[in-house]
Amino acid sequence: MRSSKAKILFLSLFFLGVTLLPAVAQEESAASFGVLSLLPPLLAILLAFLTKRVLLSLFIGIYSGSLMINGWNPVVAFMRTVDTQFVNTLADGWHAGILIFTITIGGMVGIVQKMGGTRAIAEALAKRAKTARGAQLSAAILGIVVFFDDYANTLIVGPTMRPLMDKMRVSREKLSYIVDSTAAPVVGLAFVSTWVGYEIGLFGDALSSIGSDVSGFALFIRTIPYTFYNIFALVMIFSIIGTKRDFGPMLKAEKRARSTGEVLSPTAEPMSWADMDEEAGGPNPKTINAILPILTLVLVSFFGLWYNGYGYSDEGTVWYTWEGIRTSFGNADASVVLIWGAFSSTLVALLLAVGQKILTLAETMESFIEGSKSLLITAMILILAWSLGSITEEVGTASFLVGAVSETLPGFLLPIIVFVISCVVAFATGTSWGTMAIVIPLAVPLAAAYVSGDAASAPLVIASLSAVLSGSIFGDHCSPISDTTIMSSMASGADHMDHVKTQIPYAVSVAGVAIVSYLLVAAGLPVLLVLVIGGVGVWAIARFAGKESE
């Protein structure tokens, strides 16, 4: 472990190095910074791991990119960081919607906790899930049930399951891993979700570029069995839970929690929901006081996505048909709909608290404010993470990484290379959607060049497209600067970097199995057989690399 002074020195040297980079990069053009475009995400990620100061690390990453696009003038770069990057991030309607949703959900959970609702849920679940394994299994199943949006998933599963997990001595690191692993990986597999419209839009454009008239949705359905990372990430969760084994830093965290009851490490700085010192639910709190607000959030979000998306659908779309439902979900603006759900669930929680005379109106509003205040650090990190994503786009980080791939690769290696590049881009930028937007238009024509006949039906093209989706979700799943990873830490009340460090060994193991699976598909094995082989491989990793934590 580095001492505090060593960390500060290391941080200072990095910061000084960034300010002196004009001498190194004086020949770089404003449009393309080459290898230097890797600097902003690398600084943010490395410093976050070394110092555990996520806010400062993200700021330095953003500042380094601002230096690059502002002529390496340190004063101007600082001003543009705070008055342009941050302001533009907050001015984005999607970002603003997610921030409002997150803070409002924090307030709703504050009211529910104050009523004793979450304690009641934990006690009710504990009657069925009487072991740590049962609690983890309940969290994983709930994560799969909330399949339609990754943000809604994390913010429903984390707060709901946290009291039970704490009671069963399951570490916050493990809860945040389960929450994170059933967010983007699950939504990425669902054919009715807030992601589908975006993905099939990219697919449709890519298919048009190679002269194919196959619909983007039909191609998306074909890619699902090949989306190995998503599938095996879920297999890993249930293998870890089923075998009661863990490995890497997670094993240490679970042993600590089981033996001492300390669900957080001694040095943790959790991105926590507010823990109310006193609950007003009395000795017998009612589960309905938690279930009804959460159910309202789920139902309003689900049907809101349907309603909102239908308004953007083409004329003639029939809302009650399968095609109409799928189209509506694909066209929906999730940031708007989630706000509807957040405020509706908050109103229900307020009515329950005041109507049952559990809390006065003043106490209810105070609970809402306390719950919202607990997410201030989360809001700050999200703003910084989004700003870093914007700056990496401006300096061309993803374009440089993709351009580093040679177009003279053997065909059978193409899905593997596409997967690895997508992983690296998504991990470095913290965005799966941005990675898809950059890599899919390049991967489809490249894969189509290796096949004859209908490219949309060729396993190589389908596997390459799936590799982009899988690799993009790898980064979204475990990058320390991904908003989903950040929200999983927050919703679970975990230290962010503890979550990232304990999750990465599992994510990398699954990515390794995915790489082997793409190689087997390229060798000609049927995809169903590859899924079986990969699933057994993931189970074997959990069984033989892991050790019992109890």
Side-chain angles (χ1 to χ4, degrees):
M1 288 292 293
R2 295 175 179 268
S3 66
S4 298
K5 291 183 178 179
K7 288 180 180 179
I8 294 172
L9 177 61
F10 184 84
L11 191 62
S12 301
L13 289 174
F14 257 109
F15 194 85
L16 180 62
V18 172
T19 60
L20 295 178
L21 273 173
V24 179
Q26 57 185 352
E27 296 182 0
E28 296 287 351
S29 68
S32 175
F33 294 92
V35 70
L36 285 179
S37 65
L38 299 176
L39 187 63
L42 282 179
L43 273 176
I45 292 170
L46 289 174
L47 290 177
F49 273 106
L50 291 170
T51 67
K52 295 190 69 176
R53 303 298 175 188
V54 178
L55 287 172
L56 184 58
S57 301
L58 286 170
F59 180 84
I60 291 176
I62 298 165
Y63 176 69
S64 67
S66 187
L67 274 171
M68 295 164 65
I69 62 179
N70 286 286
W72 302 98
N73 185 315
V75 176
V76 173
F78 178 81
M79 291 189 295
R80 294 296 84 82
T81 297
V82 296
D83 68 14
T84 301
Q85 295 300 330
F86 294 166
V87 172
N88 288 346
T89 294
L90 286 170
D92 183 274
W94 172 270
H95 295 161
I98 294 303
L99 287 173
I100 294 171
F101 169 66
T102 302
I103 292 172
T104 306
I105 285 294
M108 184 272 286
V109 172
I111 297 172
V112 170
Q113 283 185 324
K114 190 67 175 179
M115 288 192 294
T118 51
R119 176 162 58 91
I121 286 286
E123 292 174 354
L125 291 173
K127 294 177 181 179
R128 295 181 178 273
K130 297 182 179 180
T131 64
R133 180 164 63 175
Q136 294 173 64
L137 186 61
S138 298
I141 292 173
L142 182 58
I144 293 173
V145 169
V146 187
F147 63 87
F148 52 88
D149 183 77
D150 51 336
Y151 291 150
N153 182 300
T154 56
L155 293 174
I156 290 172
V157 179
T160 302
M161 296 305 304
R162 196 189 74 182
L164 176 62
M165 294 291 225
D166 287 354
K167 184 174 182 178
M168 295 300 171
R169 295 191 172 193
V170 178
S171 67
R172 296 281 178 85
E173 292 94 329
K174 189 65 164 291
L175 172 59
S176 56
Y177 162 65
I178 294 173
V179 168
D180 209 351
S181 297
T182 55
V186 169
V187 176
L189 291 171
F191 45 83
V192 175
S193 74
T194 54
W195 289 37
V196 167
Y198 180 75
E199 291 172 327
I200 65 177
L202 293 175
F203 282 11
D205 292 342
L207 288 169
S208 297
S209 70
I210 60 173
S212 175
D213 58 358
V214 175
S215 73
F217 184 70
L219 184 57
F220 173 76
I221 296 297
R222 294 175 188 175
T223 65
I224 290 176
Y226 295 85
T227 315
F228 295 129
Y229 181 81
N230 304 40
I231 296 170
F232 295 147
L234 296 175
V235 173
M236 177 64 84
I237 293 175
F238 289 102
S239 297
I240 290 294
I241 295 172
T243 60
K244 297 194 292 186
R245 291 170 178 265
D246 289 286
F247 58 89
M250 188 71 80
L251 177 62
K252 182 179 178 181
E254 284 291 89
K255 284 186 173 180
R256 179 201 69 232
R258 296 290 197 284
S259 60
T260 67
E262 295 178 0
V263 295
L264 290 164
S265 68
T267 59
E269 296 179 4
M271 301 174 63
S272 180
W273 300 86
D275 287 316
M276 302 303 177
D277 295 330
E278 298 179 2
E279 294 180 346
N284 297 304
K286 299 177 182 179
T287 57
I288 192 67
N289 290 335
I291 291 175
L292 199 53
I294 293 171
L295 187 61
T296 300
L297 173 62
V298 173
L299 292 178
V300 171
S301 298
F302 188 84
F303 288 104
L305 290 167
W306 191 356
Y307 170 80
N308 178 265
Y310 181 71
Y312 294 104
S313 300
D314 295 333
E315 186 177 352
T317 301
V318 183
W319 65 271
Y320 56 81
T321 63
W322 174 249
E323 178 67 18
I325 296 171
R326 181 200 61 76
T327 302
S328 296
F329 268 76
N331 292 335
D333 185 343
S335 64
V336 172
V337 174
L338 292 175
I339 292 176
W340 298 347
F343 276 93
S344 298
S345 61
T346 300
L347 178 61
V348 169
L350 184 149
L351 292 174
L352 287 170
V354 177
Q356 298 176 84
K357 298 182 179 180
I358 299 173
L359 300 172
T360 65
L361 181 59
E363 290 172 335
T364 303
M365 295 308 299
E366 183 180 349
S367 300
F368 176 85
I369 292 170
E370 286 300 315
S372 299
K373 282 166 57 178
S374 70
L375 299 186
L376 176 61
I377 183 68
T378 300
M380 294 173 66
I381 290 178
L382 282 174
I383 292 168
L384 288 169
W386 287 326
S387 298
L388 181 62
S390 175
I391 208 78
T392 57
E393 182 178 351
E394 290 189 53
V395 300
T397 302
S399 299
F400 169 76
L401 288 171
V402 173
V405 182
S406 170
E407 296 189 5
T408 59
L409 295 168
F412 73 93
L413 287 179
L414 184 60
I416 297 173
I417 298 300
V418 168
F419 175 74
V420 172
I421 289 297
S422 299
C423 286
V424 173
V425 172
F427 189 87
T429 60
T431 169
S432 55
W433 283 27
T435 302
M436 293 176 196
I438 292 168
V439 183
I440 285 177
L442 301 176
V444 171
L446 184 58
Y450 287 90
V451 301
S452 58
D454 183 12
S457 300
L460 181 64
V461 175
I462 296 172
S464 298
L465 265 176
S466 301
V468 178
L469 303 183
S470 287
S472 299
I473 287 176
F474 168 85
D476 193 64
H477 180 201
C478 64
S479 172
I481 59 176
S482 162
D483 51 4
T484 310
T485 307
I486 293 166
M487 293 176 77
S488 297
S489 303
M490 172 268 293
S492 305
D495 179 279
H496 181 56
M497 292 312 301
D498 284 349
H499 164 48
V500 172
K501 289 190 294 185
T502 53
Q503 177 169 264
I504 279 182
Y506 294 148
V508 171
S509 299
V510 171
V513 175
I515 289 173
V516 174
S517 299
Y518 284 118
L519 184 60
L520 294 177
V521 166
L525 269 67
V527 66
L528 293 180
L529 178 59
V530 173
L531 286 172
V532 172
I533 294 172
V536 172
V538 170
W539 176 86
I541 292 172
R543 174 63 180 82
F544 297 108
K547 295 181 180 179
E548 291 191 9
S549 55
E550 297 184 16

